Amino acid sequence: MEKDVSAFLGRLAHELRPRSDQWAGLLMERTRGELPDLWQHEDLAQRALSETADHITAFLDALEQGRDVIEAQAPPAALELARGFAEGGVPLSTLLRTYRLAHVGLLQLLQEEATRLTDDQRLATAATLGLIETGFAYVDHSSEQVVAAYQEVRDRRVQRRLVITNEASRRIGTTLDTVRTAEELAEVGAPDFADLATVDLLDSVLQDGDQHPPAAAPVLRRVAQRSVLDGCPDSPVATGERHAYPPESAPAAVLATGRPLLLQVSAQDTPPWLAPPGPPRGLHSVLLLPLYARGTTLGLVQFVRHRTPTPFDDDDLQLAREIAARAAVYVDNARRYTHERTTALTLQRSLLPQRPVEQSAVKAAARYLPSGSRAGVGGDWYDVIPLSGGRVALVVGDVVGRGLHAAATMGRLRTAVRAFADIDLMPDELLTHLDDVVIRLQREEGLEDGEISATCLYAVYDPATRLCSLASAGHVPPTVATPAAVAETAGPPSIDAETAGAAPTGVQAAALPALSIGPPLGLGGLPFETAQWDLPEGSLLALYTDGLVQSRTRDMDASLALLSDTLRQASESSMSPDEVCDRLLAAMLSGRPSDDVALLVARTRALDPGHVATLDLPSDPAAVSGARRFAADTLGSWSLDELSFATELIVSELVTNAIRYGKPPVHLRLVLDSALTCEVFDANSTAPHMRRARTSDEGGRGLLLVAQLAERWGTRHGREGKTIWAELALP
């Protein structure tokens, strides 16, 4: 019976072989209703028809020749079709279901033919059972080979997606620059994932960093795009161009809803917003994804395929969503950083001096350079503050930290320095008061000691005596360059006795003063010291923050030596302070600094000795009349007789107060500069103050009279006593 069945199946297969193509078409028609998704891929449907015919032929050959179907190899077309299913993203379950449906349909056709070829019911039944057994064995064996081919391609696709994901993690977000981050996204997208990748950002995001309310047609800017074709001819929008998508278009819907979209298009139905100029490019598949981060829509990214034959599938959409979501966070980080940096830099620059301060003690110039790193704008500052008697204060400071808080703290400290300078404090006393300000800020903000910290260098230069006094709170010392001819003949500098151990041993060209550097501001409890020395006229004084001398390629000693040499050469060439600033920055910085840089360069001037008149007075009320005569004679020699009346009254009141309430010695000094300054010194540190005199009082009106006659007046304290001064405007 077994031989009869085998012979019958062989005869059945031989008669049916010419009809394999016809049966393949019939089986495909039967599966069309069961697998409608397959017919969405026209190329796969055509290949499935050919593959089915090959399977029928292979099965009939095995029946006709009596071979074991387990030894049969799946047709090459079947393996190619499996790979096509994998490339097209068709699920493996769909592929296996085609096998089951085709197998059942083929068995039904064979059973019908077997019944037609014989009237022997037993033979027909045995043949049917043999067909079922052989058919299942063939399907099982060929399915294993087909699944292996399918999985091989899927594994490659998964590996490729992992590579793209890793590349996105590695290459996107390397900087805090919005445009560069968008460019990195486009570079990851093409050519490895798509043939064209474009990134559009909302114009409002690029302008000010703040998202505006959604409009009917929001304006975008094409900030980056990458294509497999040179020059991106497959893109309808040029890089940098502003544009808007039609309200009813797919990109507008993605921007409005925040939902990604996968589009399959053809040459006939390519939408206008996607069609590039020139000849058709064969666009067939598009992914549209919003750049959405922290509740804000930032823009839109597109991935387009036209040369790659395989269209995007759901797996590609998921991969693109992951990349776009990651990139959106980086774009938002860059946007926020740029916005904060711009705000901090604007605040920083608004708090720095906007134009040179009018004073005659020095000729100064300054530069401020924000750092080029992603750390943000710091709290560096400089200032030039005119003081009484033609003196000037030069200030450089650095608040520890970055961003808006550092810039705001810098503004508060700069205001405090100006307030303390206005009451003519000595440099060490000013820094002590400034230290208290920082400690108070820490307590007000509920911070630990030292969380707000700053460094500051405060210097006072007197053009009448050419004496420079300075103190440092944790700040790098200045660099000094004296004129070469003066430096060769200059003797030891004038050093205050109390700071002899901390003061420089000599002033040489481009020499750093041996300044005793105190602790940074904000620590409290530690003293500051003032050093004093003479500066010849024409000396260059460079005050700077540490960003100028910090370098990745030089150690600190080499940087300081280079700074000294550059300043010395500038001093010898008699360059202006502006030119000196440019020379120093060019020599010290090779590119954008890694830290903020504040630089203040001042060339010292000296008052004409004929514009300074000094008189020592005895502690005797009779000396007042002599002081008045001295003032009148001095003003006569300066051709300022019209100021004589007011000056004599001011001198009379100030000298009287010094003799009556002060301690000897008493000195009177008249200084002619941009204003006429009257100064009276005595050894008593107690400062006078104005009070309202009653009708019966015999005194108490002197300082009120001085305040009415003078433009400004005040008191400054020194180590040996105090000086009361008053300024009169020149005619």
Side-chain angles (χ1 to χ4, degrees):
M1 184 66 182
E2 181 178 350
K3 292 183 179 179
D4 294 339
V5 171
S6 298
F8 178 74
L9 292 177
R11 182 166 65 88
L12 176 64
H14 178 75
E15 292 188 8
L16 297 178
R17 280 190 61 185
R19 299 162 57 188
S20 59
D21 290 340
Q22 177 186 353
W23 278 23
L26 183 61
L27 293 177
M28 290 300 294
E29 285 297 325
R30 289 186 178 183
T31 59
R32 182 185 292 272
E34 298 288 340
L35 298 172
D37 293 342
L38 179 61
W39 266 258
Q40 294 179 3
H41 306 273
E42 296 180 4
D43 57 332
L44 293 180
Q46 292 296 326
R47 291 158 68 181
L49 178 63
S50 173
E51 179 258 2
T52 302
D54 288 349
H55 270 303
I56 294 174
T57 300
F59 183 66
L60 294 179
D61 284 346
L63 287 179
E64 183 179 0
Q65 299 172 13
R67 296 196 313 267
D68 188 350
V69 293
I70 297 179
E71 299 177 357
Q73 295 295 321
L79 302 180
E80 287 300 319
L81 179 64
R83 297 186 182 102
F85 271 55
E87 287 288 350
V90 179
L92 179 60
S93 59
T94 301
L95 175 63
L96 295 179
R97 192 175 180 192
T98 61
Y99 272 77
R100 290 195 299 271
L101 293 175
H103 173 225
V104 172
L106 180 60
L107 289 179
Q108 290 176 347
L109 292 174
L110 289 173
Q111 185 181 14
E112 293 173 0
E113 290 296 325
T115 304
R116 185 180 59 82
L117 288 178
T118 180
D119 295 331
D120 189 343
Q121 190 64 35
R122 293 179 57 198
L123 180 61
T125 302
T128 300
L129 293 176
L131 285 173
I132 293 174
E133 180 182 358
T134 305
F136 273 107
Y138 178 83
V139 169
D140 288 344
H141 179 62
S142 60
S143 295
E144 290 178 359
Q145 301 177 53
V146 167
V147 169
Y150 180 96
Q151 197 60 44
E152 178 185 357
V153 174
R154 293 298 294 178
D155 289 345
R156 286 203 303 267
R157 284 171 61 86
V158 171
Q159 183 65 29
R160 181 164 164 263
R161 286 188 172 91
L162 288 175
V163 169
I164 294 175
T165 303
N166 291 335
E167 281 293 293
S169 301
R170 184 179 65 86
R171 296 173 59 182
I172 300 176
T174 60
T175 70
L176 283 173
D177 180 85
T178 306
V179 174
R180 180 56 195 151
T181 303
E183 292 173 348
E184 291 167 345
L185 172 57
E187 290 168 1
V188 169
D192 295 331
F193 180 65
D195 298 322
L196 172 67
T198 69
V199 182
D200 296 329
L201 294 182
L202 291 171
D203 202 43
S204 58
V205 170
L206 293 172
Q207 285 180 355
D208 55 22
D210 294 328
Q211 179 67 358
H212 293 178
V219 178
L220 299 103
R221 187 177 302 170
R222 179 66 51 84
V223 292
Q225 55 186 354
R226 185 76 177 268
S227 172
V228 294
L229 305 176
D230 293 337
C232 295
D234 44 354
S235 172
V237 180
T239 303
E241 183 178 341
R242 299 171 72 248
H243 65 103
Y245 290 107
E248 303 301 324
S249 64
V254 171
L255 285 172
T257 63
R259 298 192 186 94
L261 192 61
L262 168 59
L263 297 179
Q264 306 296 348
V265 299
S266 63
Q268 293 76 24
D269 62 357
T270 301
W273 55 266
L274 182 62
R281 300 288 176 179
L283 307 179
H284 61 81
S285 190
V286 184
L287 292 176
L288 299 173
L289 303 108
L291 290 173
Y292 185 83
R294 300 183 180 97
T296 300
T297 299
L298 306 173
L300 179 77
V301 58
Q302 299 182 49
F303 298 112
V304 182
R305 283 182 178 173
H306 53 79
R307 284 200 168 185
T308 303
T310 304
F312 290 120
D313 57 22
D314 291 337
D315 289 342
D316 293 321
L317 178 60
Q318 184 61 34
L319 173 62
R321 291 181 67 173
E322 295 177 5
I323 296 175
R326 186 191 304 269
V329 172
Y330 290 131
V331 169
D332 190 51
N333 290 342
R335 174 182 72 95
R336 290 168 177 259
Y337 165 77
T338 301
H339 180 57
E340 180 174 337
R341 177 182 172 83
T342 302
T343 304
L345 186 58
T346 302
L347 176 62
Q348 176 92 331
R349 294 192 184 280
S350 68
L351 294 174
L352 293 175
Q354 301 300 307
R355 54 185 178 274
V357 181
E358 293 185 6
Q359 46 78 37
S360 57
V362 298
K363 185 176 182 181
R367 297 289 187 274
Y368 171 75
L369 295 180
S371 70
S373 70
R374 66 176 61 185
V377 177
D380 296 23
W381 91 90
Y382 61 86
D383 211 345
V384 179
I385 308 172
L387 302 176
S388 62
R391 299 169 306 127
V392 66
L394 306 174
V395 191
V396 167
D398 185 1
V399 176
V400 176
R402 299 284 175 181
L404 285 173
H405 186 267
T409 302
M410 177 274 289
R412 300 168 80 174
L413 295 185
R414 178 173 178 259
T415 302
V417 169
R418 280 189 159 262
F420 295 142
D422 193 53
I423 57 177
D424 269 329
L425 294 177
M426 290 285 290
D428 56 336
E429 295 179 3
L430 184 143
L431 293 182
T432 301
H433 284 283
L434 195 61
D435 189 39
D436 292 338
V437 170
V438 175
I439 294 174
R440 187 164 59 251
L441 289 177
Q442 291 176 158
R443 292 172 180 170
E444 290 175 355
E445 297 182 16
L447 303 176
E448 298 292 335
D449 291 346
E451 286 195 45
I452 296 180
S453 182
T455 64
C456 183
L457 184 71
Y458 184 82
V460 176
Y461 174 70
D462 188 344
T465 62
R466 294 181 289 105
L467 186 67
C468 183
S469 307
L470 65 86
S472 171
H475 201 85
V476 290
T479 298
V480 180
T482 58
V486 177
E488 293 174 358
T489 59
S494 174
I495 306 293
D496 187 277
E498 296 182 15
T499 58
T505 58
V507 178
Q508 299 178 356
L512 287 171
L515 174 66
S516 177
I517 300 177
L521 301 171
L523 298 182
L526 298 174
F528 302 99
E529 297 183 14
T530 296
Q532 295 180 323
W533 69 95
D534 292 328
L535 279 181
E537 182 179 6
S539 298
L540 277 179
L541 191 62
L543 289 73
Y544 51 89
T545 53
D546 54 7
L548 183 67
V549 292
Q550 288 178 344
S551 173
R552 297 186 181 93
T553 59
R554 296 187 302 266
D555 59 26
M556 184 62 71
D557 291 338
S559 293
L560 294 176
L562 177 60
L563 177 62
S564 297
D565 291 341
T566 306
L567 192 66
R568 176 181 55 80
Q569 295 170 7
S571 178
E572 292 174 353
S573 60
S574 300
M575 301 173 69
S576 69
D578 267 308
E579 295 171 326
V580 174
C581 286
D582 293 337
R583 174 73 66 87
L584 289 176
L585 293 178
M588 301 301 297
L589 305 175
S590 57
R592 290 286 297 277
S594 58
D595 193 9
D596 290 29
V597 174
L599 172 63
L600 176 60
V601 174
R603 187 181 293 278
T604 62
R605 294 169 173 170
L607 281 180
D608 184 347
H611 287 183
V612 180
T614 304
L615 177 65
D616 297 331
L617 296 169
S619 186
D620 184 352
V624 175
S625 60
R628 292 170 64 99
R629 286 193 302 271
F630 173 78
D633 294 342
T634 301
L635 293 185
S637 66
W638 290 344
S639 301
L640 295 175
D641 296 292
E642 56 188 290
L643 295 180
S644 180
F645 177 75
T647 303
E648 289 183 43
L649 285 178
I650 291 174
V651 168
S652 177
E653 294 298 332
L654 296 184
V655 171
T656 299
N657 279 342
I659 293 174
R660 179 177 298 177
Y661 304 109
K663 296 179 181 179
V666 178
H667 307 294
L668 168 64
R669 187 173 78 160
L670 301 178
V671 179
L672 176 60
D673 191 25
S674 57
L676 175 65
T677 305
C678 306
E679 299 178 344
V680 176
F681 169 85
D682 72 85
N684 189 355
S685 60
T686 302
H689 63 278
M690 284 195 301
R691 64 182 178 86
R692 183 176 180 181
R694 293 183 173 87
T695 306
S696 58
D697 290 344
E698 295 183 1
R701 298 177 177 82
L703 288 180
L704 179 61
L705 180 62
V706 171
Q708 294 296 318
L709 294 174
E711 290 285 326
R712 297 192 308 150
W713 76 280
T715 304
R716 66 173 181 267
H717 294 268
R719 289 190 176 85
E720 293 83 14
K722 68 177 182 299
T723 299
I724 304 176
W725 55 271
E727 284 186 0
L728 289 150
L730 298 179

